[in-house]
Amino acid sequence: MAGRRDIVQAWIDREPLIDWVRPEGGVVGFPRLNVEPGFDLDRFYVNLLENHGTYVGPGHWFEMPKRFFRVGFGWPTEAELRGGLDAISAALRQ
């Protein structure tokens, strides 16, 4: 699982619109969207699911601001994880 966490970290290192506090263990993280105040977060989450087939847990489900989201990296295959991360990046720019 450390290798999968490294995959997420490498994506975050390349993605200027995302940051996180890297979890020390486990298979879940809570990245933060570094978007402008007028960014439509609800539309982002709908677009991510409907147009990219990628599902994350919006932060407000976990008593966090909507700019945070829960991402799990233990269950998907490595290819699915990479595809989901790429989908998040694409949805941020639509």
Side-chain angles (χ1 to χ4, degrees):
M1 292 303 106
R4 290 174 186 234
R5 189 171 44 246
D6 290 343
I7 290 169
V8 178
Q9 184 66 60
W11 168 70
I12 288 173
D13 291 344
R14 294 186 311 272
E15 178 51 74
L17 298 176
I18 306 276
D19 65 19
W20 75 341
V21 174
R22 181 185 168 112
E24 294 296 320
V27 294
V28 173
F30 282 90
R32 178 179 61 176
L33 301 171
N34 295 321
V35 293
E36 298 296 321
F39 186 84
D40 189 339
L41 292 165
D42 292 325
R43 188 177 132 230
F44 163 75
Y45 289 118
V46 168
N47 177 34
L48 183 61
L49 179 59
E50 291 182 357
N51 297 321
H52 297 277
T54 300
Y55 194 67
V56 298
H60 66 278
W61 290 359
F62 305 95
E63 299 181 6
M64 299 174 75
K66 278 187 183 180
R67 289 176 23 144
F68 288 84
F69 61 93
R70 179 187 183 274
V71 63
F73 45 88
W75 179 71
T77 65
E78 184 176 317
E80 290 169 331
L81 175 60
R82 290 180 188 277
L85 298 173
D86 289 344
I88 293 168
S89 290
L92 279 169
R93 289 166 176 83
Q94 291 181 328

